[in-house]
Amino acid sequence: MTTSTTTERPLPPWAEIAAAGGTQLWVVAELKARELWDEGVQTSTLSDAARKKYKIKRQEERRVRGLLQAHAWSAFREANVVHLGAGVFFHDTADVDRYDIEDREARATANELPKIDDAPGLAAALEITVSQLRWLAFHREVDRGTHYQRWYVPKRDGSLRLISAPKPLLKRVQRWINRNVTERLPVHGAAHGFLAGRGIVSNALVHAGASVVVKFDIKDFFPTITMPRVKGLLRKAGYTEQVATCLAMLCTEPPRAEIEIDGKPHFVATGPRSLPQGAPTSPSITNTLCLRLDSRLSGLAAKFGFVYTRYADDMTFSTSDAKRTGEANLGKLQAAVGRIVTDEGFTLHADKTRVMRSGRRQKVTGLVVNTTDDGAPAVRVPRKIRRQLRAALHNRAQGKPGPDSLERLGGLAAYIFMTDEKLGRALLDEVARQRSATPSGETPPSTPPPTGAA
């Protein structure tokens, strides 16, 4: 904004206003520079003409004062977050408080985190403005818009899982946070989900050939990790309260119901802010937040003669020691796991606890881990899926395409390739052959891709 009276004067950013002593002192200085400052004239001593001129000047002074104050507030908001919504504690003064850990900066350095001291510094690192930072992180119980695209996918038990994918700007911001902050935080060796060089195969291999496999599932895993837990994690990692709050708000979102008010869509929060399943930052945050959980469960497994791994919300224990597979020992293990999981702020999904002995099929993250005598891989895709894929490819070769597209069949072939390179390569080659033979412009029907994890 530029205000002019007798002289054009461009208005400065907040840094210059602050350097001048703040809004009020800067406004007074600007009014004096514009020759509008009221020096306290005794109007009763003025002539009618002078009094009229003085009144006009005072009206101009009030107009310009309002414009200057509005500019100062706008400039302040451009340089400061100010507020992040009802119920969210935030202040723009980046100071030390009693919740800061000892040697906070040393901890951040040890974690190789970018040096960020305040909200403007965070905005600069994210390559967005402070106004955009506030817009992305601001919380409203009822909002006219949302930074996420939402949809539901069916679970194996028939219920629905909410997927929340961030829109482009927030996705770019979250990817930066994931790459530069959350992926750098410590993770326990028992974690196998969403880590480079690890996955469902490495997770299952730990339990291949075991006498007994025990699986546990954490109920409502992502919704359980709320904004305060994420903020506490980031503070412990070495960031100030101000920066940790902004980061936690950028990485969380409440579940929302879409309703119509006066013919316009509104999004109403139906629960607390938590990690959205579908955000780039959620997996790495869960892994580092579960560090103590994984450490305790690994210690428990060793005490009972088991080994332990975790893939997201799936926790697996196994042993090949016959002395450890008795019902009494397994009962003690299950009870102890329940106590530790509860202590760490989670809840076991009791209906999904499974004890699988070697006499029946044992599956870990969707892969079979039983020992076989036919030279099959130590972990492998279930026979049913392999047969279905072979049958689908055979039928297509015979001119009888089913409901599955080549894209889906190629995904299944790649899934098999992860555990059986020889078979997987043959299937991938057949998919490639059929794709090259598909007439140009043909769009085969498609269905949702499979999920590899149990």
Side-chain angles (χ1 to χ4, degrees):
M1 178 187 76
T2 300
T3 302
S4 63
T5 51
T6 58
T7 307
E8 291 287 341
R9 290 179 61 84
L11 298 181
W14 175 251
E16 294 183 26
I17 297 173
T23 298
Q24 295 308 315
L25 291 178
W26 173 76
V27 168
V28 169
E30 284 291 313
L31 291 173
K32 288 180 178 179
R34 289 163 167 36
E35 299 181 354
L36 290 174
W37 178 248
D38 184 1
E39 299 292 348
V41 175
Q42 180 56 259
T43 57
S44 61
T45 63
L46 300 177
S47 65
D48 289 344
R51 188 180 299 113
K52 183 177 180 181
K53 184 177 180 180
Y54 177 80
K55 182 178 180 181
I56 293 173
K57 183 178 180 180
R58 294 284 67 78
Q59 289 176 339
E60 178 67 4
E61 181 270 334
R62 286 191 293 272
R63 184 186 74 83
V64 173
R65 180 188 292 271
L67 292 173
L68 291 172
Q69 289 175 335
H71 168 78
W73 174 240
S74 177
F76 182 82
R77 283 175 56 84
E78 289 179 3
N80 296 272
V81 170
V82 184
H83 185 47
L84 284 177
V88 181
F89 174 75
F90 181 85
H91 61 89
D92 280 299
T93 304
D95 54 5
V96 177
D97 65 33
R98 62 193 180 95
Y99 294 107
D100 281 331
I101 62 172
E102 290 187 27
D103 299 323
R104 177 188 62 78
E105 293 183 350
R107 178 72 64 84
T109 300
N111 286 325
E112 300 182 342
L113 299 182
K115 181 174 173 56
I116 303 172
D117 296 321
D118 52 24
L122 175 61
L126 295 172
E127 298 183 347
I128 59 176
T129 65
V130 172
S131 296
Q132 287 176 314
L133 173 61
R134 179 174 55 248
W135 177 60
L136 290 173
F138 202 90
H139 174 75
R140 291 182 177 88
E141 287 295 310
V142 180
D143 208 342
R144 285 291 308 278
T146 172
H147 295 296
Y148 290 83
Q149 299 282 358
R150 292 179 170 83
W151 66 90
Y152 290 90
V153 296
K155 298 182 182 179
R156 289 191 306 160
D157 61 6
S159 61
L160 296 177
R161 174 181 285 114
L162 173 64
I163 303 297
S164 301
K167 294 178 181 178
L169 179 58
L170 181 58
K171 180 182 288 186
R172 178 174 70 79
V173 165
Q174 289 180 345
R175 283 176 172 168
W176 187 96
I177 296 171
N178 188 52
R179 182 172 61 253
N180 294 281
V181 179
T182 54
E183 279 191 344
R184 299 186 179 189
L185 300 180
V187 175
H188 196 274
H192 285 259
F194 320 111
L195 293 168
R198 295 193 170 196
I200 61 173
V201 175
S202 64
N203 183 64
L205 276 170
V206 175
H207 308 285
S211 299
V212 64
V213 176
V214 187
K215 287 177 53 180
F216 300 90
D217 183 85
I218 297 175
K219 186 177 182 180
D220 299 327
F221 186 49
F222 285 96
T224 300
I225 302 177
T226 56
M227 193 281 285
R229 296 183 72 174
V230 178
K231 176 180 175 180
L233 170 71
L234 294 166
R235 296 208 67 179
K236 188 176 179 181
Y239 277 130
T240 63
E241 187 275 336
Q242 184 191 82
V243 174
T245 299
C246 289
L247 287 170
M249 295 295 287
L250 290 170
C251 295
T252 58
E253 171 73 358
R256 292 187 182 274
E258 184 175 354
I259 63 174
E260 190 174 288
I261 302 177
D262 296 331
K264 298 178 180 179
H266 289 71
F267 299 88
V268 181
T270 58
R273 294 185 74 94
S274 58
L275 293 183
Q277 188 160 355
T281 43
S282 295
S284 56
I285 290 174
T286 59
N287 274 339
T288 191
L289 194 139
C290 287
L291 177 62
R292 192 170 70 171
L293 171 70
D294 291 336
S295 179
R296 293 182 67 183
L297 291 179
S298 292
L300 177 71
K303 178 181 176 181
F304 278 83
F306 282 70
V307 291
Y308 161 77
T309 64
R310 181 182 58 81
Y311 187 97
D313 55 353
D314 289 337
M315 303 175 296
T316 307
F317 295 76
S318 69
T319 184
S320 293
D321 186 347
K323 296 179 181 179
R324 309 284 186 170
T325 61
E327 293 300 327
N329 198 50
L330 293 177
K332 292 178 181 178
L333 173 69
Q334 292 181 54
V337 169
R339 288 193 298 269
I340 291 175
V341 168
T342 301
D343 286 347
E344 295 300 322
F346 296 102
T347 303
L348 277 183
H349 203 307
D351 293 340
K352 293 188 176 182
T353 299
R354 297 287 184 271
V355 177
M356 298 171 288
R357 299 183 180 277
S358 56
R360 54 174 289 194
R361 188 171 69 168
Q362 299 168 318
K363 286 177 63 180
V364 177
T365 45
L367 300 174
V368 179
V369 298
N370 298 76
T371 299
T372 65
D373 298 325
D374 57 3
V379 300
R380 53 208 174 275
V381 174
R383 182 182 293 110
K384 180 179 179 180
I385 294 178
R386 301 197 303 267
R387 287 176 173 172
Q388 287 176 340
L389 176 55
R390 285 197 186 101
L393 290 173
H394 175 75
N395 289 337
R396 288 186 66 92
Q398 299 299 313
K400 306 173 189 175
D404 294 325
S405 68
L406 280 174
E407 286 73 18
R408 173 177 165 80
L409 298 179
L412 285 172
Y415 178 42
I416 293 171
F417 182 81
M418 289 192 303
T419 62
D420 189 335
E421 291 189 12
K422 182 178 179 180
L423 174 59
R425 172 51 58 196
L427 293 170
L428 285 169
D429 289 344
E430 176 60 19
V431 170
R433 188 193 67 77
Q434 293 194 18
R435 183 177 288 115
S436 65
T438 300
S440 177
E442 178 182 335
T443 304
S446 62
T447 57
T451 55

